[in-house]
Amino acid sequence: MDVKFSLLDLWVVSPLIALFLFSIIPLTVKVFNENREGNPFVTMSIGLLGVILATGLIGTYKDISGIYFQDALVIDGASVWLGFLIMGVTAVTLIFSRENMATRNRHFSEFVFLLLNAAIGMLVVVWSNDLIIAFIGIEMMSLCLYVLIALSSEERLSKESAFKYFVLSSFASAVLLYGLAFIYGLAGTTYLHELVNRAPDLMGHNLLFTLGVVLAAVGLAFKVALVPFHAWAADVYQGAPTPITAFMATGVKAVSFALFLRVVLAEVMVSPESQGLVHFLQWLAVLTMLVGNIAAISQSHFKRMLAYSSVAHSGYVMMGLIAAGMAGPMGDLAIRSVLYYVTVYAVMTLGAFGVISLMEKRSESSIHIEDLRGMAQRNPWVALFIAIFMLGLAGIPPTVGFFGKLYVFTAALDQKLYWLVFWGVVSSAIGLYYYLRPIVVMYMEEQGEGADAVSSRQLTSFTVAMTALLVLFAGILF
Amino acid sequence: MLLSALIFLPLLYAAVIGALPRTEWIRPTALALSLVHLILGLGIFLQFEKGVAALQLVEKTPWLEQFGVHYFVGIDGISLWLVVMTLALTPLVILGSWTSIENRTKTFHVSLFALLTTMLGSFLAMDAILFYIFFEASLIPMYFMIGIWGGPRRIYATVKFFVYTMLGSLLMLAAIIALMLMTAHQMGGQMSASLLDFYQLQIPFVAGEWLTTQTLLMFAFAIAFAIKVPMFPFHTWLPDAHVEAPTPGSVILAAVMLKMGSYGFMRMAFPLFPDAIEYWAWLFVFISAFGIVYGALVAMVQPDIKKLVAYSSVSHMGYIMLGLFAFNIFGMTGGLYQMLNHGISTGALFLLVGMIYERTHSRQISDYGGLAQAAPWFSIVFLIVTMSSIAVPLTNGFVGEFLILLGAFSASKIYGAIAVTGVILGAAYMLWMVKRVFFGPLSPMLSKYSPEKLDMNWREKVLMAPLVVLIFWMGILPNHFLDWSRESLEHLVNNRYTYELSIHEKDGHDGR
């Protein structure tokens, strides 16, 4: 096959190249240094430089929207925005990892290498116009993640978590690929911009095509942890080192939703005759919101609680996603609602996990909600940040979480998804109960001994403070 | 700029309080700042024009343009007195918290000023989303106030308060969004969240059917506000929250935050959904009347003074709602007036109960008796406030209740009659409580304290004086207050089906 590409094509993939080149620097240095781990701060800075350079390159995409690399990659507003989001999440994860005991070990160079390559995989997914390319991106991201989880200096839970994630994620990938095979077989293309034209005729008329779409949807539902495909989330999130948990709960979820969105926008979900898949996805969304929020109530482990909260938030994003699918080409509002929600959710969740990372003294530390007792006296600022993140996740105005809810509710109501919004409202009220729990423990119950923020982790503290400011004010200002 | 200054300056005050280096400075500074703010707020009277129904002192700038959300504040005769009452109560609450809030005073005053911002914001916002943001955000400081400084069951009470109120208001959020989308359909594509645009909407209504747009939207709003008011059967959070809250929290909760609900009915539910409200009025009138009698009966058997006052709130708020749902000028005026009266009398009662509780650490009625001998000043003030609460002529309560009963009787004889029973029951439980607490022989518990310790000190006299003055002023010269609101109330009553609000321009032309 004759592969041709222009300079512009190369320009489009330049962030990927930049990230890759920077990711191998620490590794190369380590090899030439007789396998001695370098200064983790330097390693992190090199990684950050790569991320900053890539962000700058993505920033130049403004005027070049279109399809590149023989129709494999698409650059549009969503691509650029998600590109920024992924870079931001990666940078924050780098900062957290440098100061977390579970990740700052003698494999930190490898860690940075894998993290940046996971980010490359993520960029490929969100830019892909070809389902096969997207699949390759997902696999690249996932492979890096398996190892990133297992690299933790914590011995037991992280290994279990890595293995669990590996098995279940591979299974989900297989289901996704199986679905894609059906789609390709019947539509004759894996390019999304061609699928737009062919899907409406096939969807609902051809049972095998519908089966393919459903299988692909199930595979994606696994990746974004929709109920009933969510069971892996709590264990994996708990076992993974906290910075990586933050990375998975925000970056990986955003990426999977981006792919989900692109598939949905190819109009494979709805056709004039068939509303079947819409109903299927609505039920998934309702179940996800309810089960996620109810399961989170009984969690005493902070990370597990946030894991279930992240499941519940997948349900809210699904509201926007379904609205986008139903609106089709008119769904500008719905698309923006999904991107907005994914972003604000990422900011709030990064902050919440950042605080946990701040409190983990050793690599085996596990923070329970009870450990927050007396936080308001010992670390008033940290307590305030936790309160802001919790209120944000609960969607209380004026935090940015409220504006996210406003966006997705508007998108869903615009498509007349009244019941979906009703269940969203009910589950938000349920969710409020457990989001208030840490605040009650920190401020209102009798004070006592508990976890402490490690004061030497200044970069993490600074990042957490910045995210808290964003959560509090970004909604009002933007 | 005045209204924005009123809304947002308290945040600055909160920052100032937060930056104070020494604990002893906090209370005087907070008191001074709140007095300055009150004086600033009285500036409204210089600019506000009587006899105008339109919205005044308007400020409007685009904010979230994709949703058509504006930063839009304005004031009219309906919100005017609620704003002034909120401003006037704040210094009293700060003065009243002098001894009842013992720890974490800094956090307390920061929360209080944050709460002030959100309360004023809810009364002044004329954009639905802006209103919602303030309405919801007001829960956060109150949540901390009950949860940190409250009684033994404070955590249960505060979480219940937060979750219950939030559930109702989230439904309202969905309804607000539905209205915003409706403005886009009916008014040329652009969404708008301005209440003024909402008033223009034609919302489809079919009488006798459940699932019509207007009925559903009306209930979404009405349930949110009914929880806040609270109307029976949504009142169960209130006794818990009131009893567990510290004195200042109870005062603000009763005096101001409950009014956000009744204000919401007047500002939104009535003019936005006139057909649905009219059709379902029987239901609201019924639960209001039921709430009056139910609240009074439950109050009667309470062994705890604070709980008694809390249940009396359920009964009094029932009056207010009954007056509003009479849909005539008497009921509407009485309802608004009674909102202020309830704020003053129940606020004063909570302050008084707090004062005596600080001394004896008991709120059980059975522990008391003969307090009048031991604490004459306290007893006189308590009696005056009780008179106001049970609507004795010459006190403010009489004016409000009389107007409400007048309105209720003109609307429906039966409900008027039920409401009158409530007046009798109200007098019964209050006076019975007064008898048991203040008269008879001195109880063993009280005899342990010296009279000088039990009676009011100078701070508490200063604190109660303005309230007592207001009780008589509002009772004897109600027109001093009602003149400012009459035009807006008449406009609401007379044009309920075609309600619209224009923006009053200073040079005499009313534009939209």
Side-chain angles (χ1 to χ4, degrees):
Chain A
M1 200 170 119
D2 187 21
V3 179
K4 279 190 216 142
F5 51 85
S6 67
L7 214 54
L8 202 54
D9 285 334
L10 218 51
W11 186 248
V12 166
V13 294
S14 60
L16 310 181
I17 298 170
L19 277 174
F20 180 71
L21 289 179
F22 273 87
S23 76
I24 55 174
I25 294 174
L27 216 52
T28 322
V29 172
K30 188 173 177 179
V31 169
F32 281 108
N33 234 342
E34 292 167 347
N35 212 15
R36 266 202 308 273
E37 184 62 47
N39 182 346
F41 185 80
V42 175
T43 313
M44 178 199 74
S45 309
I46 293 170
L48 275 182
L49 272 180
V51 170
I52 291 167
L53 181 61
T55 313
L57 289 169
I58 297 172
T60 62
Y61 283 4
K62 260 223 152 74
D63 307 319
I64 57 161
S65 17
I67 301 176
Y68 293 93
F69 245 96
Q70 303 190 328
D71 302 347
L73 298 182
V74 56
I75 298 300
D76 53 17
S79 312
V80 174
W81 181 252
L82 287 162
F84 285 144
L85 178 63
I86 292 166
M87 289 299 100
V89 168
T90 312
V92 172
T93 310
L94 272 173
I95 291 169
F96 289 171
S97 322
R98 150 78 174 76
E99 295 183 331
N100 189 292
M101 295 319 285
T103 46
R104 191 188 57 178
N105 49 26
R106 60 199 169 80
H107 295 301
F108 193 62
S109 303
E110 286 89 337
F111 182 93
V112 171
F113 170 79
L114 288 165
L115 190 69
L116 293 194
N117 281 283
I120 295 174
M122 291 163 128
L123 289 176
V124 170
V125 179
V126 299
W127 293 349
S128 63
N129 185 43
D130 182 344
L131 290 172
I132 298 303
I133 297 287
F135 183 78
I136 293 172
I138 285 194
E139 285 311 291
M140 183 170 173
M141 166 184 93
S142 304
L143 277 174
C144 293
L145 277 171
Y146 308 141
V147 187
L148 279 171
I149 299 171
L151 267 183
S152 165
S153 9
E154 192 271 330
E155 287 303 326
R156 211 173 53 80
L157 282 174
S158 69
K159 307 304 177 267
E160 179 195 329
S161 156
F163 190 68
K164 231 174 217 172
Y165 189 52
F166 174 64
V167 172
L168 285 170
S169 176
S170 312
F171 178 66
S173 299
V175 173
L176 174 63
L177 198 58
Y178 194 43
L180 296 185
F182 277 109
I183 294 176
Y184 175 64
L186 290 155
T189 179
T190 51
Y191 291 118
L192 289 168
H193 67 289
E194 291 174 9
L195 211 53
V196 176
N197 303 324
R198 298 184 199 166
D201 297 331
L202 288 165
M203 188 67 196
H205 301 290
N206 190 320
L207 202 63
L208 282 178
F209 185 80
T210 314
L211 179 69
V213 172
V214 170
L215 283 174
V218 168
L220 288 168
F222 253 110
K223 299 279 180 193
V224 298
L226 296 184
V227 175
F229 313 112
H230 69 293
W232 60 273
D235 287 348
V236 172
Y237 283 13
Q238 182 188 358
T242 308
I244 291 302
T245 312
F247 189 66
M248 291 192 340
T250 57
V252 173
K253 185 160 277 190
V255 164
S256 310
F257 265 119
L259 179 60
F260 215 151
L261 184 66
R262 289 218 193 271
V263 173
V264 163
L265 289 177
E267 295 194 33
V268 294
M269 293 295 168
V270 275
S271 70
E273 293 85 18
S274 144
Q275 293 277 315
L277 202 56
V278 172
H279 286 293
F280 173 64
L281 290 181
Q282 278 201 49
W283 278 110
L284 285 191
V286 171
L287 273 177
T288 306
M289 292 187 281
L290 287 175
V291 172
N293 278 322
I294 291 170
I297 290 177
S298 59
Q299 302 303 323
S300 62
H301 197 282
F302 203 176
K303 266 163 94 177
R304 279 187 90 86
M305 188 200 98
L306 286 174
Y308 280 108
S309 130
S310 126
V311 170
H313 281 274
S314 289
Y316 301 126
V317 182
M318 277 310 284
M319 280 168 76
L321 200 77
I322 294 165
M326 290 177 72
M330 309 294 287
D332 205 29
L333 173 75
I335 296 170
R336 272 187 287 143
S337 82
V338 172
L339 296 180
Y340 190 87
Y341 201 93
V342 164
T343 311
V344 301
Y345 159 78
V347 174
M348 297 183 298
T349 309
L350 274 180
F353 281 116
V355 177
I356 295 179
S357 179
L358 202 56
M359 292 186 293
E360 286 173 337
K361 278 205 182 58
R362 292 168 296 120
S363 50
E364 295 83 23
S365 300
S366 69
I367 304 294
H368 288 75
I369 294 171
E370 282 299 307
D371 294 333
L372 297 175
R373 196 169 291 284
M375 207 63 181
Q377 314 272 277
R378 282 198 305 278
N379 303 99
W381 284 104
V382 175
L384 184 66
F385 294 151
I386 297 179
I388 291 173
F389 295 133
M390 291 300 122
L391 292 172
L393 285 166
I396 313 279
T399 61
V400 77
F402 162 72
F403 292 91
K405 287 234 165 77
L406 176 66
Y407 237 130
V408 292
F409 284 179
T410 310
L413 284 173
D414 197 27
Q415 296 303 316
K416 308 199 173 2
L417 295 164
Y418 300 122
W419 282 106
L420 195 54
V421 173
F422 175 78
W423 287 113
V425 163
V426 170
S427 60
S428 299
I430 299 172
L432 186 59
Y433 183 77
Y434 66 86
Y435 287 126
L436 293 183
R437 182 76 198 134
I439 304 182
V440 165
V441 171
M442 288 188 301
Y443 285 94
M444 300 174 188
E445 287 180 353
E446 313 77 54
Q447 309 297 310
E449 292 299 300
D452 224 335
V454 180
S455 55
S456 61
R457 296 181 183 162
Q458 284 154 354
L459 277 176
T460 308
S461 315
F462 177 75
T463 318
V464 167
M466 287 298 117
T467 17
L469 275 180
L470 267 182
V471 170
L472 203 53
F473 293 112
I476 302 171
L477 299 177
F478 311 118
Chain B
M1 284 309 287
L2 180 59
L3 297 187
S4 291
L6 281 180
I7 296 174
F8 293 109
L9 274 182
L11 290 182
L12 183 68
Y13 303 158
V16 169
I17 298 285
L20 283 181
R22 294 179 59 177
T23 335
E24 311 87 89
W25 296 351
I26 292 174
R27 288 197 168 104
T29 319
L31 184 63
L33 288 172
S34 65
L35 283 171
V36 167
H37 204 58
L38 170 62
I39 292 165
L40 184 70
L42 293 179
I44 296 177
F45 288 106
L46 298 177
Q47 297 185 24
F48 191 90
E49 279 183 45
K50 265 192 210 178
V52 174
L55 211 55
Q56 307 194 34
L57 310 181
V58 170
E59 291 164 42
K60 190 174 183 184
T61 32
W63 178 27
L64 306 171
E65 306 211 20
Q66 67 271 40
F67 296 113
V69 174
H70 290 78
Y71 172 74
F72 181 15
V73 292
I75 194 167
D76 70 352
I78 296 173
S79 46
L80 174 67
W81 285 109
L82 293 168
V83 169
V84 174
M85 178 178 73
T86 310
L87 289 169
L89 276 172
T90 310
L92 299 181
V93 166
I94 291 173
L95 201 58
S97 73
W98 223 266
T99 46
S100 67
I101 301 296
E102 284 156 349
N103 53 5
R104 296 200 244 176
T105 36
K106 189 177 272 186
T107 322
F108 175 79
H109 288 94
V110 169
S111 308
L112 190 65
F113 280 120
L115 189 58
L116 186 59
T117 289
T118 58
M119 292 188 301
L120 293 171
S122 339
F123 289 135
L124 292 172
M126 291 306 292
D127 181 284
I129 292 291
L130 189 65
F131 168 79
Y132 181 82
I133 288 173
F134 284 125
F135 188 78
E136 279 286 273
S138 70
L139 298 178
I140 304 173
M142 190 41 97
Y143 164 70
F144 279 100
M145 231 180 242
I146 301 175
I148 297 180
W149 297 278
R153 287 172 66 244
R154 61 186 185 276
I155 289 161
Y156 169 77
T158 195
V159 172
K160 185 175 180 181
F161 159 73
F162 202 142
V163 175
Y164 208 146
T165 323
M166 177 92 175
L167 177 64
S169 41
L170 275 169
L171 279 175
M172 180 172 73
L173 175 65
I176 289 175
I177 295 171
L179 286 172
M180 285 159 60
L181 292 166
M182 218 178 267
T183 55
H185 288 299
Q186 292 189 10
M187 294 175 185
Q190 174 58 38
M191 268 198 266
S192 166
S194 155
L195 285 179
L196 270 50
D197 288 334
F198 281 6
Y199 293 145
Q200 317 265 324
L201 286 176
Q202 302 296 322
I203 307 169
F205 175 72
V206 183
E209 268 183 45
W210 263 101
L211 292 173
T212 71
T213 321
Q214 199 176 124
T215 307
L216 288 174
L217 290 175
M218 185 276 286
F219 273 108
F221 274 80
I223 289 175
F225 296 138
I227 289 173
K228 197 88 179 176
V229 165
M231 293 171 88
F232 180 88
F234 302 111
H235 67 283
T236 56
W237 63 267
L238 178 120
D240 288 316
H242 264 332
V243 172
E244 298 306 323
T247 305
S250 307
V251 174
I252 294 205
L253 198 58
V256 185
M257 290 187 79
L258 304 188
K259 308 307 180 297
M260 286 183 192
S262 43
Y263 168 78
F265 272 103
M266 292 179 86
R267 177 67 80 205
M268 282 167 226
F270 288 176
L272 284 178
F273 318 109
D275 309 294
I277 279 279
E278 176 88 41
Y279 185 79
W280 292 97
W282 62 269
L283 179 67
F284 291 100
V285 171
F286 175 75
I287 59 175
S288 306
F290 194 91
I292 294 175
V293 176
Y294 171 85
L297 288 176
V298 178
M300 197 171 290
V301 295
Q302 292 306 318
D304 179 311
I305 309 180
K306 204 168 180 186
K307 248 190 169 147
L308 185 146
V309 179
Y311 275 103
S312 84
S313 265
V314 176
S315 182
H316 282 146
M317 293 310 288
Y319 272 111
I320 293 172
M321 295 319 296
L322 186 69
L324 298 184
F325 273 97
F327 295 132
N328 51 38
I329 186 68
F330 304 121
M332 206 68 92
T333 314
L336 183 66
Y337 208 58
Q338 194 66 4
M339 284 188 215
L340 311 175
N341 297 339
H342 177 258
I344 290 166
S345 63
T346 309
L349 279 175
F350 276 123
L351 283 170
L352 289 164
V353 173
M355 284 173 199
I356 197 72
Y357 177 74
E358 279 166 40
R359 291 170 166 81
T360 64
H361 299 286
S362 166
R363 289 194 302 247
Q364 298 299 309
I365 296 176
S366 53
D367 285 346
Y368 288 90
L371 192 58
Q373 312 158 28
W377 276 104
F378 182 82
S379 310
I380 291 171
V381 176
F382 200 101
L383 262 173
I384 292 173
V385 175
T386 304
M387 294 301 134
S388 154
S389 175
I390 64 178
V392 169
L394 294 187
T395 64
N396 56 355
F398 174 73
V399 182
E401 263 183 30
F402 179 76
L403 284 168
I404 288 172
L405 291 177
L406 199 61
F409 267 112
S410 357
S412 147
K413 299 256 177 332
I414 302 167
Y415 289 115
I418 295 174
V420 172
T421 351
V423 177
I424 300 166
L425 288 171
Y429 68 77
M430 283 308 285
L431 292 177
W432 192 33
M433 184 264 283
V434 166
K435 174 187 157 253
R436 284 179 292 166
V437 170
F438 290 94
F439 300 111
L442 199 64
S443 77
M445 184 197 74
L446 287 176
S447 51
K448 284 189 289 189
Y449 299 91
S450 68
E452 305 84 70
K453 279 238 176 86
L454 274 179
D455 210 356
M456 286 178 156
N457 55 30
W458 65 269
R459 176 182 61 84
E460 289 160 342
K461 285 178 195 159
V462 169
L463 167 62
M464 297 312 291
L467 292 171
V468 171
V469 170
L470 271 177
I471 283 174
F472 288 115
W473 187 3
M474 291 178 73
I476 297 169
L477 298 162
N479 277 343
H480 280 189
F481 300 86
L482 287 174
D483 277 350
W484 296 84
S485 300
R486 181 163 298 129
E487 210 64 34
S488 288
L489 289 168
E490 276 173 359
H491 180 61
L492 176 60
V493 172
N494 297 335
N495 306 308
R496 223 155 36 85
Y497 286 90
T498 53
Y499 191 78
E500 54 181 18
L501 208 54
S502 50
I503 294 173
H504 181 65
E505 311 279 353
K506 270 281 167 203
D507 52 15
H509 299 289
D510 283 4
R512 184 166 302 143

